[in-house]
Amino acid sequence: MSVATSWDEQEVKYKAVLTPDGTAWAGVYDFDAPNPDEPAYTWYDLTDGAVGYPENPCGISIAETMNDVIVEVVTTEGEVYETSCPVVRGEPDTLDCSDPVVWTPASPQPGEEVAARSAPVPGAGPVAADKGLAKSGRRT
């Protein structure tokens, strides 16, 4: 049904797959690791026994940041849920997902009202540095 890849490193890429039966998978492909004789994906079922996994998922995404893999799914109703798994560095890199995997809804969900925030102060944004160059590139 859906597939996504995060490939921000030279040695490792992460893939999320949402199968037609609604199962969410996360995969780690370590280019330098023998699995067992050549590089291959190590797959993790993120739905078997999971807590809070939504009904009717239809899309999936994956990202790796600060040694965590974050997987998100969207449902046919437009709701967003996410889970994360720490990356264990090694040969191959693996994931250390909680047992059971816990999914949490995004807050707020798309289209929901956001709590009031303080209004920005006019002119309080970043100030452009004057580098002494006119638009033509000549000094003025």
Side-chain angles (χ1 to χ4, degrees):
M1 274 180 81
S2 183
V3 65
T5 302
S6 176
W7 196 349
D8 297 334
E9 304 174 31
Q10 289 182 320
E11 182 182 324
V12 181
K13 69 178 172 178
Y14 305 94
K15 190 169 295 291
V17 176
L18 183 62
T19 61
D21 68 356
T23 302
W25 294 88
V28 181
Y29 188 96
D30 190 329
F31 290 92
D32 293 337
N35 288 349
D37 297 319
E38 59 184 60
Y41 276 100
T42 302
W43 291 103
Y44 301 85
D45 183 342
L46 301 177
T47 53
D48 187 27
V51 174
Y53 189 69
E55 294 185 22
N56 304 318
C58 63
I60 196 164
S61 69
I62 191 167
E64 188 271 336
T65 182
M66 298 179 56
N67 291 320
D68 278 331
V69 167
I70 297 111
V71 178
E72 297 172 310
V73 295
V74 63
T75 69
T76 55
E77 292 79 27
E79 297 170 327
V80 177
Y81 290 78
E82 72 174 39
T83 192
S84 63
C85 300
V87 176
V88 178
R89 301 295 178 186
E91 294 300 340
D93 284 5
T94 59
L95 300 180
D96 186 20
C97 302
S98 63
D99 185 16
V101 173
V102 177
W103 290 83
T104 56
S107 180
Q109 288 288 324
E112 288 181 354
E113 290 288 325
V114 177
R117 299 178 189 211
S118 61
V121 177
V127 178
D130 181 5
K131 297 180 183 174
L133 299 176
K135 285 188 175 183
S136 67
R138 294 183 301 182
R139 294 193 181 274
T140 56

